């Protein structure tokens, strides 16, 4: 089955909306999949000379001014294929709430079935799509009916209740994975050596590189270099996590990526904004992420899965949360104290072959500022 970012069809209610990367005025490679967790309205504007395009832009601006689009419950995106949109009066980013994707090559429009290149002349049918917090289609309509979709959005329940009930994220919460003494040994190792600023992986021209952006992520990591501590972690994962993964996910982890202790410090505003862990060639092999808290006595620092509502997850010291690397997740800011955690990725032999095949995409260099 093709993943959402490779589907090319005109989605109808219940279908997953295709994922894509596209430039905006502020971001040359905006990841559409990162906006899950709220209602989303996509407006494919078509030619700037089309009266429906100008009417749609006005409707989006008016709804944003009313507070309909605020980036908390709902966001709107205009998809502009016509360079003439750059003229005065054309669509502009108005943050929070409204952004413009620059689809100059038509790739996004084609993926949504709005643009048909094989037609002679080129056929473009301006349209709008209303999506739920999982980025699945609620409704679609010709662009001229955009105000009706905005009206429907006003009548919907809050984004966290879009399914008619609370829907917990598909995660495992497992207490009693690490003993208190092992948790303390890992913290002591971090304190003895200190941590280095931790970045995140991004794709640039098909290459996977490390990046630093304190607005997106603020955390310090230290490698666990002691072979005995590494072996202790492997043993606990094999005995106390892997059996539950086989039961819940029908997945048998055989490989571990990275041995680290991470520290989210309130003094630095420690956090990691919403992201997925396998969106670059160099990270595509990652199957499951494991968060094991090592301490208590801090405020904030919960794990949150925006696609599945507002519930926060905070395992006790020594406890783990295990989840698919494809899930959008966020480490909320630590408001007081320090949160220590060890954060391995798990994968299997098939994923190991993918990792080997993609090694050439990794750029061995210090993290760059973005």
């Amino acid at each position: 089955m093709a993943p959402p970012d490779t589907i090319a069809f005109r989605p109808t209610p219940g279908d997953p909306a295709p994922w894509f990367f596209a430039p905006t005025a502020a971001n040359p490679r905006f990841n559409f999949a990162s906006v899950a967790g709220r209602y989303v309205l996509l407006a494919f504007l078509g030619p700037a000379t089309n009266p429906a395009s100008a009417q749609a832009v006005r409707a989006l601006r008016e709804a944003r001014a009313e507070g309909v689009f605020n980036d908390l419950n709902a966001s709107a995106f205009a998809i502009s294929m016509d360079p003439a949109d750059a003229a005065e009066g054309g669509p502009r980013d108005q943050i929070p709430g409204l952004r413009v994707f620059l689809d100059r090559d038509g790739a996004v429009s084609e993926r949504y079935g709005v643009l048909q290149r094989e037609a002679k002349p080129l056929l473009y049918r301006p349209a709008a799509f209303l999506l739920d917090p999982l980025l699945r289609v609620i409704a679609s309509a010709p662009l001229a009916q955009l105000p009706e979709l905005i009206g429907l959005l006003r009548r919907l329940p809050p984004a966290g209740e879009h399914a008619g009930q609370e829907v917990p994220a598909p995660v495992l919460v497992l207490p009693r994975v690490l003993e208190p003494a092992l948790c303390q040994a890992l913290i002591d190792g971090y304190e003895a050596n200190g941590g280095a600023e931790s970045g995140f992986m991004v794709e640039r021209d098909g290459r996977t590189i490390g990046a630093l952006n304190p607005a997106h992520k603020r955390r310090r990591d230290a490698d666990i270099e002691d072979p005995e501590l590494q072996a202790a972690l492997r043993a606990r994962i094999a005995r106390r996590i892997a059996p539950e993964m086989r039961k819940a996910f029908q997945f048998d982890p055989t490989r571990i990526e990275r041995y680290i202790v991470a520290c989210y410090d309130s003094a630095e505003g420690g956090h990691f904004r919403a992201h997925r862990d396998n969106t670059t060639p160099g990270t595509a092999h990652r199957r499951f992420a494991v968060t094991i808290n090592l301490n208590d006595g801090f405020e904030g620092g919960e794990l949150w899965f925006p696609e599945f509502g507002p519930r926060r997850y905070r395992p006790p010291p020594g406890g783990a949360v295990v989840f698919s690397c494809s899930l959008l997740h966020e480490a909320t800011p630590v408001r007081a104290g320090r949160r220590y955690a060890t954060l391995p990725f798990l994968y299997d032999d098939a994923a190991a072959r993918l990792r080997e095949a993609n090694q050439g995409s990794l750029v061995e260099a210090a993290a760059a500022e973005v």
Side-chain angles (χ1 to χ4, degrees):
M1 183 177 295
D5 59 342
T6 61
I7 297 171
F9 68 106
R10 190 178 182 96
T12 56
D15 290 335
W19 295 354
F20 58 86
F21 291 88
T24 67
N27 187 339
R29 198 169 185 270
F30 192 109
N31 182 2
F32 176 68
S34 70
V35 306
R38 70 209 77 188
Y39 294 114
V40 174
L41 188 65
L42 295 176
F44 290 83
L45 300 180
T49 55
N50 181 1
S53 176
Q55 293 168 4
V57 172
R58 284 195 297 272
L60 293 172
R61 288 173 175 164
E62 291 170 0
R64 179 193 174 275
E66 295 170 16
V68 175
F69 301 115
N70 56 14
D71 283 349
L72 297 175
N73 189 65
S75 297
F77 295 85
I79 293 85
S80 167
M81 188 178 170
D82 192 339
D85 283 335
E88 185 176 353
R92 297 288 186 278
D93 286 356
Q94 291 184 288
I95 299 173
L98 176 60
R99 294 168 181 79
V100 181
F101 282 123
L102 306 177
D103 187 28
R104 296 299 187 243
D105 62 359
V108 179
S109 299
E110 187 173 25
R111 182 162 291 171
Y112 277 75
V114 174
L115 170 65
Q116 296 181 16
R117 296 186 189 275
E118 68 276 6
K120 303 298 181 183
L122 196 73
L123 182 60
Y124 196 104
R125 292 191 175 95
F129 298 85
L130 178 61
L131 312 180
D132 68 19
L134 288 168
L135 301 183
R136 299 166 69 246
V137 177
I138 297 173
S140 63
L143 188 65
Q145 297 176 21
L146 177 66
E148 297 178 22
L149 292 185
I150 295 175
L152 172 58
L153 174 58
R154 289 191 177 98
R155 299 190 298 273
L156 293 174
E161 303 172 13
H162 76 97
Q165 60 184 329
E166 181 184 3
V167 181
V171 306
L172 278 173
V173 181
L174 301 173
R176 298 175 294 278
V177 173
L178 303 185
E179 309 92 306
L182 180 52
C183 291
Q184 191 59 53
L186 292 171
I187 294 173
D188 290 345
Y190 179 96
E191 292 297 333
N193 300 305
E197 188 74 19
S198 174
F200 53 94
M201 307 308 290
V202 297
E203 183 180 350
R204 294 286 186 270
D205 299 322
R207 308 299 298 278
T208 301
I209 65 172
L212 292 173
N213 181 350
H216 185 68
K217 178 184 181 182
R218 196 66 190 267
R219 191 181 84 200
R220 294 185 181 273
D221 296 348
D223 290 333
I224 302 169
E225 297 180 346
D226 184 336
E228 292 186 4
L229 287 178
Q230 291 185 5
L233 279 175
R234 285 196 303 272
R236 272 66 171 181
I237 290 171
R239 290 165 48 191
R240 298 169 182 169
I241 292 180
E244 303 303 322
M245 293 180 66
R246 288 191 286 270
K247 183 196 306 178
F249 303 131
Q250 297 190 55
F251 182 83
D252 189 14
T254 60
R255 308 291 184 102
I256 297 176
E257 177 184 342
R258 76 181 186 182
Y259 295 88
I260 64 168
V261 172
C263 178
Y264 292 94
D265 192 338
S266 63
E268 297 180 335
H271 72 284
F272 196 170
R273 293 181 64 181
H275 63 285
R276 305 178 198 267
D277 287 324
N278 57 359
T279 58
T280 69
T283 59
H285 64 280
R286 295 173 178 173
R287 294 296 180 256
F288 285 87
V290 180
T291 292
I292 305 177
N293 278 351
L294 302 177
N295 69 309
D296 210 338
F298 57 89
E299 296 179 12
E302 299 96 351
L303 195 57
W304 175 38
F305 299 87
E307 294 163 299
F308 296 92
R311 176 184 286 195
R312 266 56 170 175
Y313 296 78
R314 176 172 169 162
V321 181
V322 185
F323 55 94
S324 166
C325 289
S326 296
L327 294 184
L328 189 70
H329 58 285
E330 176 175 335
T332 64
V334 174
R335 301 187 300 273
R338 286 181 168 184
R339 175 193 170 209
Y340 295 91
T342 186
L343 308 170
F345 294 113
L346 305 181
Y347 58 109
D348 61 6
D349 293 349
R353 292 189 288 273
L354 177 63
R355 184 183 191 184
E356 180 66 25
N358 286 341
Q359 281 298 300
S361 75
L362 289 169
V363 175
E364 297 293 338
E369 296 283 349
V370 296

